[in-house]
Amino acid sequence: MKKLLFVLLLLLTGTTVWLFADEKTAVWERIYRNSVNDEMRYSVLLNIRELHDAQFGPLLTDALGELNSRRIEAGNSNEVEAKVRLATAIVQELGNLRETAASDQIFQTFRDTTQYPFLKAEAAMALGKIRATDYVPDLVRSLSDINLSPNRDKATAQEILAFGLVQALATMKSEAGFEPVFFASIGWYSGQRKVKETARDMLKILVDDPTDSLLKILPGQTKPSNKLKVLDAEDNSKASSARKALVALAALEDGVRASTTDVVELTQWSDLRKRALTMLVQGKDKTPAAAALFRLEYKAAALSRDTTEILAVIQALGSNGTPESLSFLIELMSGFNVRASTPGLLTDFDVQQVRSILQAFRVAASPAASPVLLEGQYLYTPAVQREIKAVLAALPK
Protein backbone atom coordinates (compact mmCIF):
# COMPACT_ATOMS: atom_id res chain seq x y z
CA MET A 1 0.00 0.00 0.00
CA LYS A 2 2.80 2.44 0.86
CA LYS A 3 4.51 1.70 -2.47
CA LEU A 4 1.32 2.40 -4.40
CA LEU A 5 0.80 5.69 -2.57
CA PHE A 6 4.38 6.68 -3.37
CA VAL A 7 3.91 5.99 -7.08
CA LEU A 8 0.65 7.95 -7.14
CA LEU A 9 2.35 10.86 -5.40
CA LEU A 10 5.09 10.92 -8.05
CA LEU A 11 2.52 10.88 -10.81
CA LEU A 12 0.62 13.74 -9.27
CA THR A 13 3.75 15.87 -8.95
CA GLY A 14 4.70 15.27 -12.58
CA THR A 15 7.90 13.35 -11.81
CA THR A 16 8.94 10.53 -14.14
CA VAL A 17 8.09 7.19 -12.52
CA TRP A 18 9.61 3.80 -12.78
CA LEU A 19 7.36 1.42 -14.64
CA PHE A 20 7.87 -1.73 -16.59
CA ALA A 21 9.07 -0.86 -20.07
CA ASP A 22 5.84 -1.68 -21.90
CA GLU A 23 3.71 0.11 -19.30
CA LYS A 24 5.93 3.18 -19.41
CA THR A 25 5.75 3.39 -23.19
CA ALA A 26 1.98 2.91 -23.17
CA VAL A 27 1.48 5.64 -20.59
CA TRP A 28 3.51 8.24 -22.43
CA GLU A 29 2.00 7.23 -25.76
CA ARG A 30 -1.52 7.80 -24.38
CA ILE A 31 -0.48 11.15 -22.95
CA TYR A 32 1.05 12.22 -26.26
CA ARG A 33 -1.90 11.07 -28.38
CA ASN A 34 -4.36 12.73 -26.03
CA SER A 35 -2.57 16.07 -26.23
CA VAL A 36 -4.85 18.62 -27.85
CA ASN A 37 -2.29 20.86 -29.55
CA ASP A 38 1.34 20.99 -30.65
CA GLU A 39 2.45 22.99 -27.62
CA MET A 40 1.25 20.19 -25.34
CA ARG A 41 2.75 17.54 -27.60
CA TYR A 42 6.10 19.31 -27.44
CA SER A 43 6.02 19.40 -23.63
CA VAL A 44 5.23 15.68 -23.51
CA LEU A 45 7.98 14.98 -26.02
CA LEU A 46 10.56 16.67 -23.79
CA ASN A 47 9.75 14.10 -21.11
CA ILE A 48 9.86 11.24 -23.60
CA ARG A 49 13.31 12.34 -24.82
CA GLU A 50 14.72 12.19 -21.31
CA LEU A 51 13.99 8.45 -21.21
CA HIS A 52 16.19 7.66 -24.25
CA ASP A 53 14.09 4.56 -24.93
CA ALA A 54 14.06 2.93 -28.36
CA GLN A 55 10.53 1.65 -27.71
CA PHE A 56 9.29 5.15 -28.49
CA GLY A 57 10.56 4.86 -32.08
CA PRO A 58 7.20 3.81 -33.60
CA LEU A 59 5.33 6.52 -31.69
CA LEU A 60 7.73 9.23 -32.83
CA THR A 61 7.66 7.93 -36.40
CA ASP A 62 3.86 8.16 -36.40
CA ALA A 63 4.04 11.59 -34.80
CA LEU A 64 6.36 12.88 -37.53
CA GLY A 65 4.16 11.33 -40.20
CA GLU A 66 1.16 13.13 -38.75
CA LEU A 67 3.05 16.42 -38.80
CA ASN A 68 4.12 15.86 -42.39
CA SER A 69 0.54 15.14 -43.38
CA ARG A 70 -0.50 18.47 -41.87
CA ARG A 71 2.29 20.21 -43.82
CA ILE A 72 4.72 21.59 -41.29
CA GLU A 73 5.14 24.96 -42.98
CA ALA A 74 1.41 25.54 -43.53
CA GLY A 75 -0.68 27.77 -41.26
CA ASN A 76 -0.29 31.04 -39.43
CA SER A 77 3.02 31.99 -37.86
CA ASN A 78 2.15 30.62 -34.40
CA GLU A 79 0.94 27.32 -35.80
CA VAL A 80 3.99 26.90 -38.02
CA GLU A 81 6.37 27.82 -35.22
CA ALA A 82 4.82 25.18 -32.96
CA LYS A 83 4.96 22.51 -35.68
CA VAL A 84 8.55 23.33 -36.59
CA ARG A 85 9.66 23.16 -32.97
CA LEU A 86 7.89 19.84 -32.47
CA ALA A 87 9.16 18.37 -35.74
CA THR A 88 12.73 19.40 -34.93
CA ALA A 89 12.59 17.67 -31.56
CA ILE A 90 11.05 14.52 -33.05
CA VAL A 91 13.60 14.33 -35.85
CA GLN A 92 16.47 14.77 -33.40
CA GLU A 93 15.19 11.98 -31.16
CA LEU A 94 14.54 9.61 -34.06
CA GLY A 95 18.12 10.13 -35.12
CA ASN A 96 19.42 9.59 -31.60
CA LEU A 97 17.38 6.38 -31.33
CA ARG A 98 18.68 5.18 -34.72
CA GLU A 99 15.08 4.48 -35.75
CA THR A 100 15.66 3.13 -39.26
CA ALA A 101 11.93 2.64 -39.85
CA ALA A 102 11.52 6.41 -39.72
CA SER A 103 13.78 7.13 -42.69
CA ASP A 104 10.97 7.80 -45.15
CA GLN A 105 9.22 10.24 -42.84
CA ILE A 106 12.48 12.00 -41.96
CA PHE A 107 13.34 12.36 -45.63
CA GLN A 108 9.88 13.75 -46.34
CA THR A 109 10.53 16.38 -43.67
CA PHE A 110 13.90 17.13 -45.29
CA ARG A 111 12.41 17.35 -48.76
CA ASP A 112 9.33 19.41 -47.88
CA THR A 113 11.04 21.93 -45.59
CA THR A 114 11.99 25.05 -47.52
CA GLN A 115 11.82 27.94 -45.07
CA TYR A 116 13.40 26.51 -41.91
CA PRO A 117 17.05 25.55 -42.47
CA PHE A 118 17.58 24.32 -38.90
CA LEU A 119 14.80 21.75 -39.29
CA LYS A 120 16.05 20.72 -42.72
CA ALA A 121 19.61 20.36 -41.39
CA GLU A 122 18.43 18.31 -38.42
CA ALA A 123 16.51 16.03 -40.76
CA ALA A 124 19.66 15.53 -42.84
CA MET A 125 21.73 14.72 -39.74
CA ALA A 126 19.07 12.27 -38.54
CA LEU A 127 19.23 10.48 -41.89
CA GLY A 128 22.97 10.25 -41.37
CA LYS A 129 22.63 8.81 -37.88
CA ILE A 130 20.25 6.07 -39.01
CA ARG A 131 22.46 5.37 -42.06
CA ALA A 132 19.64 5.92 -44.53
CA THR A 133 21.98 5.31 -47.46
CA ASP A 134 19.14 5.18 -49.99
CA TYR A 135 19.00 8.95 -49.67
CA VAL A 136 22.72 9.59 -50.16
CA PRO A 137 22.20 10.77 -53.78
CA ASP A 138 19.66 13.34 -52.60
CA LEU A 139 21.97 14.66 -49.87
CA VAL A 140 24.93 14.71 -52.25
CA ARG A 141 22.93 16.70 -54.78
CA SER A 142 21.76 19.17 -52.14
CA LEU A 143 25.28 19.82 -50.82
CA SER A 144 26.74 20.05 -54.34
CA ASP A 145 24.12 22.62 -55.29
CA ILE A 146 24.95 24.78 -52.27
CA ASN A 147 28.70 24.45 -52.90
CA LEU A 148 28.27 25.70 -56.46
CA SER A 149 25.47 28.23 -56.07
CA PRO A 150 25.92 30.63 -53.14
CA ASN A 151 23.01 33.02 -52.73
CA ARG A 152 23.91 36.27 -50.98
CA ASP A 153 20.36 36.75 -49.73
CA LYS A 154 20.14 33.22 -48.34
CA ALA A 155 23.75 32.65 -47.34
CA THR A 156 23.01 32.01 -43.66
CA ALA A 157 20.31 29.48 -44.46
CA GLN A 158 22.56 27.77 -46.98
CA GLU A 159 25.40 27.53 -44.47
CA ILE A 160 23.14 26.05 -41.81
CA LEU A 161 21.94 23.39 -44.23
CA ALA A 162 25.42 22.73 -45.59
CA PHE A 163 26.67 22.09 -42.06
CA GLY A 164 23.94 19.50 -41.53
CA LEU A 165 24.59 17.85 -44.89
CA VAL A 166 28.33 17.58 -44.21
CA GLN A 167 27.63 15.91 -40.88
CA ALA A 168 25.06 13.58 -42.45
CA LEU A 169 27.28 12.38 -45.29
CA ALA A 170 30.26 11.92 -42.97
CA THR A 171 28.18 9.86 -40.54
CA MET A 172 26.96 7.64 -43.37
CA LYS A 173 30.58 7.03 -44.45
CA SER A 174 29.50 6.85 -48.06
CA GLU A 175 32.23 7.22 -50.68
CA ALA A 176 29.77 9.13 -52.85
CA GLY A 177 29.68 11.82 -50.19
CA PHE A 178 33.42 12.45 -50.19
CA GLU A 179 33.57 14.77 -53.19
CA PRO A 180 30.86 17.26 -52.11
CA VAL A 181 32.23 17.29 -48.56
CA PHE A 182 35.71 18.03 -49.94
CA PHE A 183 34.37 20.91 -52.03
CA ALA A 184 32.56 22.19 -48.95
CA SER A 185 35.94 22.22 -47.18
CA ILE A 186 37.34 24.64 -49.77
CA GLY A 187 34.07 26.40 -50.62
CA TRP A 188 32.66 29.90 -50.29
CA TYR A 189 31.42 29.51 -46.72
CA SER A 190 32.16 32.06 -44.01
CA GLY A 191 33.99 31.24 -40.82
CA GLN A 192 30.96 31.89 -38.64
CA ARG A 193 29.12 28.61 -39.33
CA LYS A 194 32.26 26.44 -39.36
CA VAL A 195 31.19 24.62 -42.53
CA LYS A 196 34.67 24.48 -44.06
CA GLU A 197 36.39 23.57 -40.80
CA THR A 198 33.84 20.84 -40.05
CA ALA A 199 34.09 19.47 -43.59
CA ARG A 200 37.89 19.24 -43.28
CA ASP A 201 37.54 17.30 -40.04
CA MET A 202 34.85 15.03 -41.50
CA LEU A 203 37.04 14.13 -44.48
CA LYS A 204 39.31 12.24 -42.09
CA ILE A 205 36.52 9.86 -41.07
CA LEU A 206 34.30 9.77 -44.14
CA VAL A 207 36.29 7.11 -46.00
CA ASP A 208 39.55 5.38 -45.13
CA ASP A 209 41.04 5.69 -48.60
CA PRO A 210 39.92 8.73 -50.62
CA THR A 211 42.69 8.34 -53.23
CA ASP A 212 40.47 7.63 -56.24
CA SER A 213 38.19 10.57 -55.44
CA LEU A 214 41.10 12.95 -54.91
CA LEU A 215 42.81 11.89 -58.13
CA LYS A 216 39.63 12.93 -59.93
CA ILE A 217 39.40 16.21 -58.02
CA LEU A 218 43.05 17.26 -58.35
CA PRO A 219 43.19 18.03 -62.11
CA GLY A 220 40.18 20.33 -61.91
CA GLN A 221 41.78 22.59 -59.33
CA THR A 222 43.53 25.54 -60.94
CA LYS A 223 44.69 27.20 -57.74
CA PRO A 224 47.80 25.74 -56.08
CA SER A 225 46.22 26.46 -52.69
CA ASN A 226 43.35 24.10 -53.51
CA LYS A 227 45.71 21.44 -54.86
CA LEU A 228 47.54 21.68 -51.55
CA LYS A 229 44.26 20.98 -49.77
CA VAL A 230 43.85 17.88 -51.91
CA LEU A 231 47.26 16.75 -50.65
CA ASP A 232 46.24 17.54 -47.07
CA ALA A 233 43.11 15.42 -47.40
CA GLU A 234 45.09 12.47 -48.78
CA ASP A 235 47.89 12.80 -46.26
CA ASN A 236 45.45 12.95 -43.34
CA SER A 237 43.60 9.85 -44.51
CA LYS A 238 44.18 6.19 -43.64
CA ALA A 239 45.27 5.36 -47.18
CA SER A 240 48.43 3.28 -47.58
CA SER A 241 51.75 4.94 -48.37
CA ALA A 242 51.62 3.56 -51.90
CA ARG A 243 48.20 5.10 -52.47
CA LYS A 244 49.26 8.42 -50.99
CA ALA A 245 52.21 8.43 -53.35
CA LEU A 246 49.83 8.41 -56.32
CA VAL A 247 48.29 11.72 -55.24
CA ALA A 248 51.65 13.19 -54.23
CA LEU A 249 53.19 12.37 -57.61
CA ALA A 250 50.19 13.78 -59.48
CA ALA A 251 50.39 17.00 -57.45
CA LEU A 252 54.15 17.18 -57.93
CA GLU A 253 53.75 16.86 -61.70
CA ASP A 254 51.24 19.72 -61.67
CA GLY A 255 53.66 21.73 -59.56
CA VAL A 256 56.72 21.30 -61.76
CA ARG A 257 54.78 22.11 -64.92
CA ALA A 258 53.04 25.19 -63.52
CA SER A 259 53.87 28.55 -65.04
CA THR A 260 53.06 31.87 -63.39
CA THR A 261 54.59 35.25 -62.68
CA ASP A 262 52.36 35.94 -59.69
CA VAL A 263 54.58 36.14 -56.59
CA VAL A 264 51.97 34.67 -54.25
CA GLU A 265 51.22 31.76 -56.57
CA LEU A 266 54.92 31.08 -57.05
CA THR A 267 55.20 30.56 -53.31
CA GLN A 268 52.08 28.40 -53.25
CA TRP A 269 53.35 26.19 -56.08
CA SER A 270 56.60 25.76 -54.18
CA ASP A 271 54.69 24.83 -51.02
CA LEU A 272 52.73 22.26 -53.03
CA ARG A 273 55.87 20.66 -54.42
CA LYS A 274 57.57 20.55 -51.02
CA ARG A 275 54.51 18.99 -49.41
CA ALA A 276 54.40 16.35 -52.15
CA LEU A 277 58.11 15.62 -51.58
CA THR A 278 57.55 15.24 -47.85
CA MET A 279 54.78 12.71 -48.46
CA LEU A 280 56.95 10.74 -50.87
CA VAL A 281 59.89 10.66 -48.47
CA GLN A 282 57.75 9.72 -45.49
CA GLY A 283 56.10 6.99 -47.52
CA LYS A 284 59.50 5.72 -48.77
CA ASP A 285 58.20 5.83 -52.32
CA LYS A 286 60.34 4.02 -54.93
CA THR A 287 58.50 4.99 -58.10
CA PRO A 288 61.10 5.16 -60.93
CA ALA A 289 59.11 7.80 -62.84
CA ALA A 290 59.47 10.18 -59.89
CA ALA A 291 63.10 10.88 -60.83
CA ALA A 292 62.10 12.81 -63.94
CA LEU A 293 59.83 15.03 -61.81
CA PHE A 294 62.63 15.54 -59.25
CA ARG A 295 64.94 16.63 -62.03
CA LEU A 296 62.43 19.22 -63.27
CA GLU A 297 61.77 20.40 -59.73
CA TYR A 298 65.45 20.83 -58.97
CA LYS A 299 65.84 23.06 -62.02
CA ALA A 300 62.76 25.12 -61.12
CA ALA A 301 63.91 25.53 -57.52
CA ALA A 302 67.41 26.52 -58.68
CA LEU A 303 65.98 29.22 -60.93
CA SER A 304 63.88 30.61 -58.08
CA ARG A 305 66.79 30.16 -55.66
CA ASP A 306 64.60 28.29 -53.20
CA THR A 307 67.31 26.65 -51.13
CA THR A 308 64.84 24.77 -48.93
CA GLU A 309 63.20 23.15 -51.93
CA ILE A 310 66.55 22.26 -53.52
CA LEU A 311 67.64 20.40 -50.40
CA ALA A 312 64.22 18.70 -50.19
CA VAL A 313 64.60 17.42 -53.76
CA ILE A 314 68.04 15.98 -52.97
CA GLN A 315 66.62 14.21 -49.93
CA ALA A 316 63.77 12.79 -52.03
CA LEU A 317 66.24 11.50 -54.63
CA GLY A 318 68.07 9.54 -51.96
CA SER A 319 64.88 8.23 -50.43
CA ASN A 320 63.61 7.14 -53.85
CA GLY A 321 66.91 5.38 -54.49
CA THR A 322 66.01 4.04 -57.93
CA PRO A 323 68.67 3.89 -60.68
CA GLU A 324 66.99 6.92 -62.27
CA SER A 325 67.29 8.96 -59.08
CA LEU A 326 70.84 7.78 -58.43
CA SER A 327 71.81 8.81 -61.94
CA PHE A 328 70.69 12.38 -61.24
CA LEU A 329 72.46 12.45 -57.87
CA ILE A 330 75.66 11.26 -59.52
CA GLU A 331 75.24 13.94 -62.18
CA LEU A 332 74.85 16.61 -59.50
CA MET A 333 77.85 15.36 -57.52
CA SER A 334 79.97 15.25 -60.65
CA GLY A 335 79.10 18.87 -61.37
CA PHE A 336 80.14 19.93 -57.88
CA ASN A 337 83.38 17.97 -58.25
CA VAL A 338 84.17 20.03 -61.33
CA ARG A 339 83.44 23.26 -59.49
CA ALA A 340 85.46 22.14 -56.49
CA SER A 341 88.52 21.63 -58.67
CA THR A 342 88.69 25.40 -59.16
CA PRO A 343 89.57 27.15 -55.88
CA GLY A 344 87.00 29.67 -54.68
CA LEU A 345 84.29 28.63 -57.12
CA LEU A 346 82.17 26.64 -54.65
CA THR A 347 79.70 28.67 -52.62
CA ASP A 348 78.62 27.87 -49.08
CA PHE A 349 75.32 26.60 -50.43
CA ASP A 350 77.14 24.40 -52.95
CA VAL A 351 78.89 22.75 -50.02
CA GLN A 352 75.56 22.37 -48.24
CA GLN A 353 74.18 20.62 -51.32
CA VAL A 354 77.19 18.31 -51.49
CA ARG A 355 76.61 17.28 -47.89
CA SER A 356 72.93 16.63 -48.66
CA ILE A 357 73.93 14.55 -51.68
CA LEU A 358 76.29 12.53 -49.51
CA GLN A 359 73.46 11.83 -47.10
CA ALA A 360 71.25 10.87 -50.05
CA PHE A 361 73.90 8.40 -51.25
CA ARG A 362 74.07 6.93 -47.76
CA VAL A 363 70.29 6.44 -47.70
CA ALA A 364 70.18 5.00 -51.22
CA ALA A 365 73.03 2.63 -50.31
CA SER A 366 74.05 1.85 -53.89
CA PRO A 367 77.60 1.02 -54.98
CA ALA A 368 76.86 2.96 -58.18
CA ALA A 369 77.79 6.13 -56.27
CA SER A 370 81.34 4.94 -55.50
CA PRO A 371 83.13 6.26 -58.64
CA VAL A 372 81.90 9.84 -58.32
CA LEU A 373 82.72 9.82 -54.62
CA LEU A 374 86.23 8.52 -55.30
CA GLU A 375 86.70 11.36 -57.78
CA GLY A 376 85.73 13.95 -55.20
CA GLN A 377 87.35 12.60 -52.06
CA TYR A 378 90.33 14.99 -52.26
CA LEU A 379 88.63 18.04 -53.81
CA TYR A 380 86.82 19.44 -50.79
CA THR A 381 87.63 20.72 -47.33
CA PRO A 382 88.92 18.18 -44.81
CA ALA A 383 85.51 18.02 -43.13
CA VAL A 384 83.72 17.18 -46.39
CA GLN A 385 86.48 14.73 -47.33
CA ARG A 386 85.85 12.86 -44.08
CA GLU A 387 82.14 12.68 -44.88
CA ILE A 388 82.86 11.35 -48.38
CA LYS A 389 85.12 8.64 -47.00
CA ALA A 390 82.52 7.68 -44.38
CA VAL A 391 79.84 7.29 -47.07
CA LEU A 392 82.22 5.27 -49.26
CA ALA A 393 82.95 2.97 -46.34
CA ALA A 394 79.24 2.48 -45.70
CA LEU A 395 78.29 1.64 -49.28
CA PRO A 396 77.92 -2.03 -50.20
CA LYS A 397 80.79 -3.37 -52.28
Side-chain angles (χ1 to χ4, degrees), residues 197-389:
E197 295 83 353
T198 302
R200 281 196 292 270
D201 289 340
M202 293 298 102
L203 288 174
K204 300 173 187 177
I205 66 170
L206 207 158
V207 293
D208 288 342
D209 185 353
T211 304
D212 292 337
S213 295
L214 290 170
L215 285 172
K216 293 176 183 177
I217 292 170
L218 184 67
Q221 303 309 303
T222 57
K223 296 180 179 179
S225 57
N226 284 347
K227 288 183 182 289
L228 186 57
K229 288 170 183 174
V230 171
L231 274 185
D232 286 339
E234 179 72 11
D235 200 22
N236 290 328
S237 75
K238 296 178 182 178
S240 67
S241 296
R243 297 282 283 168
K244 289 181 178 182
L246 295 176
V247 180
L249 287 169
L252 182 58
E253 183 167 7
D254 288 347
V256 298
R257 301 192 187 285
S259 177
T260 182
T261 57
D262 183 272
V263 176
V264 174
E265 284 202 347
L266 281 171
T267 301
Q268 291 174 338
W269 282 117
S270 177
D271 289 342
L272 175 72
R273 295 191 297 264
K274 285 185 280 191
R275 179 63 182 277
L277 287 178
T278 299
M279 289 175 63
L280 292 170
V281 171
Q282 289 177 343
K284 299 179 180 179
D285 177 66
K286 305 294 182 184
T287 305
L293 298 177
F294 296 154
R295 183 182 290 269
L296 290 173
E297 183 174 7
Y298 182 89
K299 291 178 180 179
L303 285 173
S304 64
R305 298 181 181 179
D306 188 330
T307 56
T308 302
E309 187 172 2
I310 289 171
L311 296 177
V313 175
I314 293 171
Q315 181 187 17
L317 286 163
S319 176
N320 182 263
T322 59
E324 294 82 359
S325 289
L326 278 166
S327 175
F328 186 39
L329 282 172
I330 291 168
E331 182 182 322
L332 290 174
M333 186 68 188
S334 179
F336 287 120
N337 286 350
V338 171
R339 291 173 65 85
S341 64
T342 303
L345 194 59
L346 279 181
T347 66
D348 289 343
F349 184 60
D350 289 339
V351 174
Q352 191 175 356
Q353 287 188 75
V354 168
R355 284 179 157 157
S356 294
I357 291 170
L358 293 176
Q359 180 59 31
F361 280 143
R362 185 188 291 273
V363 171
S366 171
S370 296
V372 77
L373 292 174
L374 289 169
E375 290 174 6
Q377 64 180 327
Y378 299 113
L379 296 174
Y380 299 90
T381 63
V384 175
Q385 288 180 31
R386 286 193 295 272
E387 291 181 36
I388 291 174
K389 291 176 181 178

Side-chain angles (χ1 to χ4, degrees), residues 20-25 29 52-60 97 99:
F20 292 105
D22 291 341
E23 294 174 344
K24 174 186 63 179
T25 304
E29 183 169 349
H52 306 295
D53 192 332
Q55 290 190 86
F56 288 109
L59 168 65
L60 297 178
L97 295 177
E99 182 62 29

